[in-house]
């Protein structure tokens, strides 16, 4: 019942309440990796990325075949400044079955590492290989922008990168 209540709260976009119930469920079933994964998701939604990573790494350690955990590990690693770790997980995703966000996020990681050309290449790939529309791409980019700036991307470089992408899309 705790898991069902927690899921309802997650669906209602109330991760703090969901977390409370997932923790109650965890106390009854400490071996359930699905509960651990969902606790990680709640922490991610609450932007408590380091706490989320603890749960995601626990799931990865206990079930190394679980590839679902790579994406949140990559993202949490990126936003907490663990760029090489983020790069490792996004590479795994890209070599497996990447979605448009994985490729875009690898672009974010590369840019934050100072690899502007490589970042641009990944951004282009995310648009051309995954049916990311130009509008969708730029909306998601705008949502992620504060993370890029926090990870060392210079604000004055952003319009240049976006112009290069627009040129690519229109060309």
């Amino acid at each position: 019942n705790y898991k069902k209540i927690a899921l309802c709260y997650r669906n209602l976009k109330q991760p703090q309440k969901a977390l409370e119930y997932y923790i109650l469920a965890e106390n009854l079933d400490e071996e359930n990796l699905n509960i651990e994964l969902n606790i990680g998701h709640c922490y991610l939604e609450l932007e408590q990325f380091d706490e989320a990573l603890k749960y995601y790494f626990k799931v990865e350690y206990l079930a190394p075949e679980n590839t679902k955990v790579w994406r949140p590990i990559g993202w949490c690693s990126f936003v907490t400044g663990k760029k090489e770790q983020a790069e490792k997980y996004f590479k795994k995703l890209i070599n497996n079955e990447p979605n448009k966000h994985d490729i875009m996020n690898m672009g974010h990681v590369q840019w934050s590492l100072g690899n502007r050309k490589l970042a641009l290449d990944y951004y282009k790939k995310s648009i051309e290989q995954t049916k990311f529309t130009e509008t969708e791409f730029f909306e998601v980019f705008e949502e992620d922008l504060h993370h890029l700036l926090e990870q060392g991307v210079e604000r004055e470089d952003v319009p240049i990168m976006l112009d290069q992408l627009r040129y690519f899309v229109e060309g």
Side-chain angles (χ1 to χ4, degrees), residues 35-72:
I35 294 171
E36 301 298 307
L37 191 60
N38 280 303
I39 290 173
H41 292 335
C42 288
Y43 280 121
L44 173 73
E45 291 163 17
L46 292 166
E47 297 189 2
Q48 295 178 22
F49 303 113
D50 284 316
E51 200 60 34
L53 277 171
K54 292 176 189 173
Y55 283 88
Y56 293 140
F57 280 130
K58 180 178 181 181
V59 171
E60 182 187 42
Y61 179 75
L62 295 173
E65 73 286 352
N66 186 339
T67 60
K68 291 179 186 177
V69 76
W70 293 348
R71 189 166 287 116

mmCIF file of all heavy atoms in Angstrom, residues 35-72:
data_model
loop_
_atom_site.group_PDB
_atom_site.id
_atom_site.type_symbol
_atom_site.label_atom_id
_atom_site.label_comp_id
_atom_site.label_asym_id
_atom_site.label_seq_id
_atom_site.Cartn_x
_atom_site.Cartn_y
_atom_site.Cartn_z
ATOM 1 N N ILE A 35 11.966 0.068 -5.212
ATOM 2 C CA ILE A 35 11.726 1.102 -4.200
ATOM 3 C C ILE A 35 12.945 2.018 -4.111
ATOM 4 O O ILE A 35 12.810 3.244 -4.068
ATOM 5 C CB ILE A 35 11.405 0.473 -2.820
ATOM 6 C CG1 ILE A 35 10.069 -0.276 -2.865
ATOM 7 C CG2 ILE A 35 11.388 1.544 -1.728
ATOM 8 C CD1 ILE A 35 9.773 -1.108 -1.619
ATOM 9 N N GLU A 36 14.137 1.425 -4.112
ATOM 10 C CA GLU A 36 15.372 2.223 -4.044
ATOM 11 C C GLU A 36 15.462 3.176 -5.237
ATOM 12 O O GLU A 36 15.821 4.345 -5.086
ATOM 13 C CB GLU A 36 16.607 1.308 -4.018
ATOM 14 C CG GLU A 36 16.641 0.326 -2.864
ATOM 15 C CD GLU A 36 16.674 0.990 -1.502
ATOM 16 O OE1 GLU A 36 17.551 1.844 -1.279
ATOM 17 O OE2 GLU A 36 15.813 0.661 -0.678
ATOM 18 N N LEU A 37 15.117 2.663 -6.410
ATOM 19 C CA LEU A 37 15.145 3.482 -7.616
ATOM 20 C C LEU A 37 14.157 4.647 -7.504
ATOM 21 O O LEU A 37 14.484 5.787 -7.834
ATOM 22 C CB LEU A 37 14.809 2.612 -8.828
ATOM 23 C CG LEU A 37 15.022 3.198 -10.208
ATOM 24 C CD1 LEU A 37 16.482 3.580 -10.430
ATOM 25 C CD2 LEU A 37 14.586 2.196 -11.268
ATOM 26 N N ASN A 38 12.978 4.365 -6.998
ATOM 27 C CA ASN A 38 11.970 5.408 -6.850
ATOM 28 C C ASN A 38 12.351 6.438 -5.786
ATOM 29 O O ASN A 38 12.040 7.624 -5.932
ATOM 30 C CB ASN A 38 10.601 4.801 -6.562
ATOM 31 C CG ASN A 38 9.950 4.299 -7.836
ATOM 32 O OD1 ASN A 38 9.770 5.055 -8.781
ATOM 33 N ND2 ASN A 38 9.617 3.026 -7.871
ATOM 34 N N ILE A 39 13.027 6.008 -4.743
ATOM 35 C CA ILE A 39 13.528 6.964 -3.754
ATOM 36 C C ILE A 39 14.537 7.892 -4.436
ATOM 37 O O ILE A 39 14.501 9.117 -4.248
ATOM 38 C CB ILE A 39 14.149 6.244 -2.537
ATOM 39 C CG1 ILE A 39 13.043 5.565 -1.717
ATOM 40 C CG2 ILE A 39 14.943 7.226 -1.668
ATOM 41 C CD1 ILE A 39 13.561 4.680 -0.581
ATOM 42 N N GLY A 40 15.398 7.317 -5.257
ATOM 43 C CA GLY A 40 16.338 8.134 -6.019
ATOM 44 C C GLY A 40 15.615 9.138 -6.906
ATOM 45 O O GLY A 40 15.992 10.313 -6.971
ATOM 46 N N HIS A 41 14.556 8.690 -7.573
ATOM 47 C CA HIS A 41 13.789 9.589 -8.441
ATOM 48 C C HIS A 41 13.169 10.742 -7.642
ATOM 49 O O HIS A 41 13.146 11.880 -8.110
ATOM 50 C CB HIS A 41 12.693 8.831 -9.175
ATOM 51 C CG HIS A 41 13.172 7.855 -10.196
ATOM 52 N ND1 HIS A 41 14.393 7.951 -10.844
ATOM 53 C CD2 HIS A 41 12.587 6.744 -10.704
ATOM 54 C CE1 HIS A 41 14.530 6.947 -11.691
ATOM 55 N NE2 HIS A 41 13.443 6.197 -11.627
ATOM 56 N N CYS A 42 12.673 10.433 -6.458
ATOM 57 C CA CYS A 42 12.090 11.498 -5.621
ATOM 58 C C CYS A 42 13.154 12.530 -5.254
ATOM 59 O O CYS A 42 12.910 13.743 -5.347
ATOM 60 C CB CYS A 42 11.460 10.917 -4.352
ATOM 61 S SG CYS A 42 9.927 10.012 -4.658
ATOM 62 N N TYR A 43 14.321 12.048 -4.849
ATOM 63 C CA TYR A 43 15.405 12.988 -4.523
ATOM 64 C C TYR A 43 15.805 13.798 -5.759
ATOM 65 O O TYR A 43 16.086 14.997 -5.649
ATOM 66 C CB TYR A 43 16.615 12.260 -3.935
ATOM 67 C CG TYR A 43 16.455 11.924 -2.478
ATOM 68 C CD1 TYR A 43 16.511 10.611 -2.025
ATOM 69 C CD2 TYR A 43 16.267 12.921 -1.523
ATOM 70 C CE1 TYR A 43 16.373 10.298 -0.683
ATOM 71 C CE2 TYR A 43 16.124 12.623 -0.175
ATOM 72 C CZ TYR A 43 16.175 11.308 0.235
ATOM 73 O OH TYR A 43 16.039 11.015 1.572
ATOM 74 N N LEU A 44 15.818 13.167 -6.917
ATOM 75 C CA LEU A 44 16.129 13.885 -8.153
ATOM 76 C C LEU A 44 15.108 14.992 -8.393
ATOM 77 O O LEU A 44 15.465 16.132 -8.678
ATOM 78 C CB LEU A 44 16.149 12.911 -9.341
ATOM 79 C CG LEU A 44 16.306 13.527 -10.729
ATOM 80 C CD1 LEU A 44 17.733 14.014 -10.939
ATOM 81 C CD2 LEU A 44 15.947 12.516 -11.794
ATOM 82 N N GLU A 45 13.830 14.657 -8.253
ATOM 83 C CA GLU A 45 12.767 15.645 -8.461
ATOM 84 C C GLU A 45 12.841 16.772 -7.438
ATOM 85 O O GLU A 45 12.449 17.904 -7.729
ATOM 86 C CB GLU A 45 11.402 14.961 -8.417
ATOM 87 C CG GLU A 45 11.158 14.050 -9.609
ATOM 88 C CD GLU A 45 10.016 13.068 -9.412
ATOM 89 O OE1 GLU A 45 9.182 13.273 -8.497
ATOM 90 O OE2 GLU A 45 9.964 12.075 -10.169
ATOM 91 N N LEU A 46 13.358 16.467 -6.259
ATOM 92 C CA LEU A 46 13.529 17.484 -5.216
ATOM 93 C C LEU A 46 14.843 18.250 -5.379
ATOM 94 O O LEU A 46 15.172 19.100 -4.559
ATOM 95 C CB LEU A 46 13.471 16.827 -3.827
ATOM 96 C CG LEU A 46 12.111 16.279 -3.426
ATOM 97 C CD1 LEU A 46 12.242 15.366 -2.204
ATOM 98 C CD2 LEU A 46 11.138 17.427 -3.145
ATOM 99 N N GLU A 47 15.590 17.909 -6.435
ATOM 100 C CA GLU A 47 16.892 18.499 -6.738
ATOM 101 C C GLU A 47 17.908 18.290 -5.621
ATOM 102 O O GLU A 47 18.794 19.103 -5.401
ATOM 103 C CB GLU A 47 16.754 19.977 -7.116
ATOM 104 C CG GLU A 47 15.940 20.155 -8.389
ATOM 105 C CD GLU A 47 15.942 21.557 -8.943
ATOM 106 O OE1 GLU A 47 16.615 22.439 -8.373
ATOM 107 O OE2 GLU A 47 15.262 21.761 -9.971
ATOM 108 N N GLN A 48 17.777 17.153 -4.934
ATOM 109 C CA GLN A 48 18.764 16.726 -3.941
ATOM 110 C C GLN A 48 19.611 15.650 -4.631
ATOM 111 O O GLN A 48 19.506 14.460 -4.360
ATOM 112 C CB GLN A 48 18.070 16.201 -2.685
ATOM 113 C CG GLN A 48 17.279 17.277 -1.962
ATOM 114 C CD GLN A 48 16.559 16.747 -0.734
ATOM 115 O OE1 GLN A 48 16.930 15.720 -0.164
ATOM 116 N NE2 GLN A 48 15.513 17.446 -0.326
ATOM 117 N N PHE A 49 20.448 16.130 -5.542
ATOM 118 C CA PHE A 49 21.132 15.248 -6.493
ATOM 119 C C PHE A 49 22.134 14.313 -5.831
ATOM 120 O O PHE A 49 22.253 13.156 -6.231
ATOM 121 C CB PHE A 49 21.795 16.085 -7.584
ATOM 122 C CG PHE A 49 20.829 16.971 -8.319
ATOM 123 C CD1 PHE A 49 20.901 18.355 -8.202
ATOM 124 C CD2 PHE A 49 19.831 16.434 -9.111
ATOM 125 C CE1 PHE A 49 20.007 19.176 -8.883
ATOM 126 C CE2 PHE A 49 18.919 17.243 -9.796
ATOM 127 C CZ PHE A 49 19.023 18.617 -9.668
ATOM 128 N N ASP A 50 22.869 14.784 -4.833
ATOM 129 C CA ASP A 50 23.837 13.904 -4.164
ATOM 130 C C ASP A 50 23.133 12.761 -3.442
ATOM 131 O O ASP A 50 23.596 11.625 -3.458
ATOM 132 C CB ASP A 50 24.714 14.701 -3.186
ATOM 133 C CG ASP A 50 25.782 15.517 -3.911
ATOM 134 O OD1 ASP A 50 26.414 14.969 -4.838
ATOM 135 O OD2 ASP A 50 25.978 16.687 -3.545
ATOM 136 N N GLU A 51 22.010 13.074 -2.829
ATOM 137 C CA GLU A 51 21.232 12.037 -2.138
ATOM 138 C C GLU A 51 20.670 11.043 -3.157
ATOM 139 O O GLU A 51 20.686 9.835 -2.933
ATOM 140 C CB GLU A 51 20.105 12.687 -1.322
ATOM 141 C CG GLU A 51 19.558 11.830 -0.228
ATOM 142 C CD GLU A 51 20.581 11.424 0.831
ATOM 143 O OE1 GLU A 51 21.494 12.198 1.161
ATOM 144 O OE2 GLU A 51 20.445 10.279 1.328
ATOM 145 N N ALA A 52 20.206 11.553 -4.293
ATOM 146 C CA ALA A 52 19.691 10.682 -5.354
ATOM 147 C C ALA A 52 20.780 9.732 -5.841
ATOM 148 O O ALA A 52 20.533 8.537 -6.032
ATOM 149 C CB ALA A 52 19.166 11.527 -6.517
ATOM 150 N N LEU A 53 21.985 10.267 -6.009
ATOM 151 C CA LEU A 53 23.093 9.435 -6.491
ATOM 152 C C LEU A 53 23.351 8.242 -5.578
ATOM 153 O O LEU A 53 23.646 7.151 -6.055
ATOM 154 C CB LEU A 53 24.374 10.263 -6.631
ATOM 155 C CG LEU A 53 24.522 11.051 -7.923
ATOM 156 C CD1 LEU A 53 25.719 11.988 -7.839
ATOM 157 C CD2 LEU A 53 24.645 10.124 -9.121
ATOM 158 N N LYS A 54 23.233 8.432 -4.274
ATOM 159 C CA LYS A 54 23.456 7.323 -3.335
ATOM 160 C C LYS A 54 22.525 6.150 -3.658
ATOM 161 O O LYS A 54 22.946 4.992 -3.669
ATOM 162 C CB LYS A 54 23.218 7.777 -1.896
ATOM 163 C CG LYS A 54 24.233 8.757 -1.379
ATOM 164 C CD LYS A 54 23.862 9.215 0.023
ATOM 165 C CE LYS A 54 24.740 10.371 0.472
ATOM 166 N NZ LYS A 54 24.293 10.931 1.754
ATOM 167 N N TYR A 55 21.273 6.459 -3.913
ATOM 168 C CA TYR A 55 20.300 5.406 -4.206
ATOM 169 C C TYR A 55 20.531 4.806 -5.589
ATOM 170 O O TYR A 55 20.434 3.592 -5.767
ATOM 171 C CB TYR A 55 18.868 5.942 -4.058
ATOM 172 C CG TYR A 55 18.484 6.055 -2.607
ATOM 173 C CD1 TYR A 55 18.753 7.200 -1.876
ATOM 174 C CD2 TYR A 55 17.897 4.975 -1.951
ATOM 175 C CE1 TYR A 55 18.431 7.281 -0.528
ATOM 176 C CE2 TYR A 55 17.569 5.043 -0.604
ATOM 177 C CZ TYR A 55 17.846 6.198 0.098
ATOM 178 O OH TYR A 55 17.544 6.275 1.433
ATOM 179 N N TYR A 56 20.845 5.643 -6.563
ATOM 180 C CA TYR A 56 21.100 5.120 -7.901
ATOM 181 C C TYR A 56 22.331 4.213 -7.923
ATOM 182 O O TYR A 56 22.318 3.160 -8.560
ATOM 183 C CB TYR A 56 21.274 6.262 -8.907
ATOM 184 C CG TYR A 56 20.015 7.056 -9.154
ATOM 185 C CD1 TYR A 56 20.065 8.440 -9.279
ATOM 186 C CD2 TYR A 56 18.769 6.440 -9.287
ATOM 187 C CE1 TYR A 56 18.910 9.184 -9.522
ATOM 188 C CE2 TYR A 56 17.617 7.172 -9.526
ATOM 189 C CZ TYR A 56 17.705 8.536 -9.640
ATOM 190 O OH TYR A 56 16.565 9.258 -9.888
ATOM 191 N N PHE A 57 23.372 4.606 -7.205
ATOM 192 C CA PHE A 57 24.570 3.758 -7.172
ATOM 193 C C PHE A 57 24.299 2.450 -6.435
ATOM 194 O O PHE A 57 24.850 1.408 -6.799
ATOM 195 C CB PHE A 57 25.754 4.502 -6.539
ATOM 196 C CG PHE A 57 26.442 5.443 -7.479
ATOM 197 C CD1 PHE A 57 26.691 6.752 -7.113
ATOM 198 C CD2 PHE A 57 26.847 5.024 -8.746
ATOM 199 C CE1 PHE A 57 27.330 7.627 -7.982
ATOM 200 C CE2 PHE A 57 27.486 5.891 -9.621
ATOM 201 C CZ PHE A 57 27.726 7.193 -9.236
ATOM 202 N N LYS A 58 23.450 2.495 -5.424
ATOM 203 C CA LYS A 58 23.083 1.261 -4.727
ATOM 204 C C LYS A 58 22.392 0.301 -5.694
ATOM 205 O O LYS A 58 22.716 -0.890 -5.740
ATOM 206 C CB LYS A 58 22.164 1.575 -3.536
ATOM 207 C CG LYS A 58 21.730 0.356 -2.762
ATOM 208 C CD LYS A 58 20.863 0.733 -1.572
ATOM 209 C CE LYS A 58 20.439 -0.478 -0.774
ATOM 210 N NZ LYS A 58 19.576 -0.112 0.371
ATOM 211 N N VAL A 59 21.476 0.828 -6.499
ATOM 212 C CA VAL A 59 20.771 -0.010 -7.474
ATOM 213 C C VAL A 59 21.764 -0.552 -8.502
ATOM 214 O O VAL A 59 21.739 -1.742 -8.828
ATOM 215 C CB VAL A 59 19.642 0.786 -8.170
ATOM 216 C CG1 VAL A 59 19.056 -0.003 -9.340
ATOM 217 C CG2 VAL A 59 18.552 1.141 -7.160
ATOM 218 N N GLU A 60 22.661 0.308 -8.982
ATOM 219 C CA GLU A 60 23.637 -0.149 -9.971
ATOM 220 C C GLU A 60 24.539 -1.235 -9.392
ATOM 221 O O GLU A 60 24.842 -2.223 -10.056
ATOM 222 C CB GLU A 60 24.485 1.025 -10.470
ATOM 223 C CG GLU A 60 25.474 0.584 -11.536
ATOM 224 C CD GLU A 60 26.455 1.659 -11.946
ATOM 225 O OE1 GLU A 60 26.961 2.371 -11.064
ATOM 226 O OE2 GLU A 60 26.735 1.748 -13.142
ATOM 227 N N TYR A 61 24.957 -1.063 -8.152
ATOM 228 C CA TYR A 61 25.855 -2.037 -7.517
ATOM 229 C C TYR A 61 25.159 -3.387 -7.334
ATOM 230 O O TYR A 61 25.744 -4.430 -7.608
ATOM 231 C CB TYR A 61 26.317 -1.501 -6.157
ATOM 232 C CG TYR A 61 27.217 -2.452 -5.419
ATOM 233 C CD1 TYR A 61 28.546 -2.616 -5.800
ATOM 234 C CD2 TYR A 61 26.733 -3.216 -4.348
ATOM 235 C CE1 TYR A 61 29.370 -3.505 -5.140
ATOM 236 C CE2 TYR A 61 27.559 -4.113 -3.683
ATOM 237 C CZ TYR A 61 28.867 -4.252 -4.081
ATOM 238 O OH TYR A 61 29.687 -5.135 -3.426
ATOM 239 N N LEU A 62 23.902 -3.356 -6.893
ATOM 240 C CA LEU A 62 23.183 -4.598 -6.610
ATOM 241 C C LEU A 62 22.582 -5.239 -7.863
ATOM 242 O O LEU A 62 22.258 -6.427 -7.852
ATOM 243 C CB LEU A 62 22.099 -4.343 -5.560
ATOM 244 C CG LEU A 62 22.633 -3.950 -4.180
ATOM 245 C CD1 LEU A 62 21.485 -3.555 -3.255
ATOM 246 C CD2 LEU A 62 23.453 -5.079 -3.570
ATOM 247 N N ALA A 63 22.412 -4.435 -8.919
ATOM 248 C CA ALA A 63 21.863 -4.968 -10.173
ATOM 249 C C ALA A 63 22.597 -4.323 -11.344
ATOM 250 O O ALA A 63 22.047 -3.459 -12.036
ATOM 251 C CB ALA A 63 20.358 -4.680 -10.238
ATOM 252 N N PRO A 64 23.841 -4.726 -11.573
ATOM 253 C CA PRO A 64 24.640 -4.088 -12.623
ATOM 254 C C PRO A 64 24.038 -4.202 -14.028
ATOM 255 O O PRO A 64 24.374 -3.417 -14.903
ATOM 256 C CB PRO A 64 25.991 -4.797 -12.550
ATOM 257 C CG PRO A 64 25.856 -5.895 -11.575
ATOM 258 C CD PRO A 64 24.551 -5.778 -10.872
ATOM 259 N N GLU A 65 23.134 -5.141 -14.223
ATOM 260 C CA GLU A 65 22.492 -5.295 -15.525
ATOM 261 C C GLU A 65 21.378 -4.268 -15.741
ATOM 262 O O GLU A 65 20.861 -4.121 -16.843
ATOM 263 C CB GLU A 65 21.923 -6.722 -15.672
ATOM 264 C CG GLU A 65 20.686 -7.027 -14.851
ATOM 265 C CD GLU A 65 20.923 -7.226 -13.342
ATOM 266 O OE1 GLU A 65 22.086 -7.286 -12.905
ATOM 267 O OE2 GLU A 65 19.924 -7.320 -12.603
ATOM 268 N N ASN A 66 21.028 -3.526 -14.704
ATOM 269 C CA ASN A 66 19.954 -2.531 -14.785
ATOM 270 C C ASN A 66 20.477 -1.258 -15.444
ATOM 271 O O ASN A 66 21.115 -0.431 -14.798
ATOM 272 C CB ASN A 66 19.393 -2.234 -13.394
ATOM 273 C CG ASN A 66 18.190 -1.317 -13.427
ATOM 274 O OD1 ASN A 66 17.964 -0.588 -14.381
ATOM 275 N ND2 ASN A 66 17.416 -1.351 -12.363
ATOM 276 N N THR A 67 20.176 -1.102 -16.727
ATOM 277 C CA THR A 67 20.671 0.068 -17.465
ATOM 278 C C THR A 67 19.793 1.296 -17.255
ATOM 279 O O THR A 67 20.191 2.393 -17.616
ATOM 280 C CB THR A 67 20.755 -0.247 -18.973
ATOM 281 O OG1 THR A 67 19.449 -0.589 -19.439
ATOM 282 C CG2 THR A 67 21.723 -1.385 -19.242
ATOM 283 N N LYS A 68 18.607 1.122 -16.654
ATOM 284 C CA LYS A 68 17.706 2.256 -16.423
ATOM 285 C C LYS A 68 18.309 3.286 -15.478
ATOM 286 O O LYS A 68 17.894 4.430 -15.465
ATOM 287 C CB LYS A 68 16.378 1.771 -15.827
ATOM 288 C CG LYS A 68 15.532 0.988 -16.775
ATOM 289 C CD LYS A 68 14.264 0.552 -16.075
ATOM 290 C CE LYS A 68 13.450 -0.368 -16.950
ATOM 291 N NZ LYS A 68 12.260 -0.849 -16.242
ATOM 292 N N VAL A 69 19.280 2.869 -14.704
ATOM 293 C CA VAL A 69 19.862 3.748 -13.696
ATOM 294 C C VAL A 69 20.959 4.653 -14.284
ATOM 295 O O VAL A 69 21.317 5.655 -13.693
ATOM 296 C CB VAL A 69 20.357 2.889 -12.503
ATOM 297 C CG1 VAL A 69 21.640 2.184 -12.810
ATOM 298 C CG2 VAL A 69 20.450 3.681 -11.238
ATOM 299 N N TRP A 70 21.443 4.329 -15.473
ATOM 300 C CA TRP A 70 22.535 5.114 -16.069
ATOM 301 C C TRP A 70 22.130 6.560 -16.337
ATOM 302 O O TRP A 70 22.897 7.476 -16.106
ATOM 303 C CB TRP A 70 22.999 4.489 -17.378
ATOM 304 C CG TRP A 70 23.665 3.156 -17.245
ATOM 305 C CD1 TRP A 70 24.095 2.552 -16.089
ATOM 306 C CD2 TRP A 70 23.980 2.262 -18.304
ATOM 307 N NE1 TRP A 70 24.648 1.337 -16.379
ATOM 308 C CE2 TRP A 70 24.597 1.133 -17.731
ATOM 309 C CE3 TRP A 70 23.792 2.305 -19.676
ATOM 310 C CZ2 TRP A 70 25.035 0.060 -18.496
ATOM 311 C CZ3 TRP A 70 24.229 1.244 -20.445
ATOM 312 C CH2 TRP A 70 24.846 0.126 -19.849
ATOM 313 N N ARG A 71 20.934 6.761 -16.858
ATOM 314 C CA ARG A 71 20.480 8.105 -17.227
ATOM 315 C C ARG A 71 20.434 9.031 -16.010
ATOM 316 O O ARG A 71 21.029 10.109 -16.046
ATOM 317 C CB ARG A 71 19.124 8.003 -17.924
ATOM 318 C CG ARG A 71 18.636 9.265 -18.552
ATOM 319 C CD ARG A 71 17.469 8.987 -19.508
ATOM 320 N NE ARG A 71 17.978 8.337 -20.723
ATOM 321 C CZ ARG A 71 17.655 7.098 -21.105
ATOM 322 N NH1 ARG A 71 16.819 6.369 -20.406
ATOM 323 N NH2 ARG A 71 18.176 6.582 -22.207
ATOM 324 N N PRO A 72 19.758 8.649 -14.935
ATOM 325 C CA PRO A 72 19.754 9.557 -13.774
ATOM 326 C C PRO A 72 21.124 9.712 -13.121
ATOM 327 O O PRO A 72 21.436 10.780 -12.594
ATOM 328 C CB PRO A 72 18.723 8.951 -12.821
ATOM 329 C CG PRO A 72 18.523 7.551 -13.264
ATOM 330 C CD PRO A 72 18.840 7.514 -14.730
#
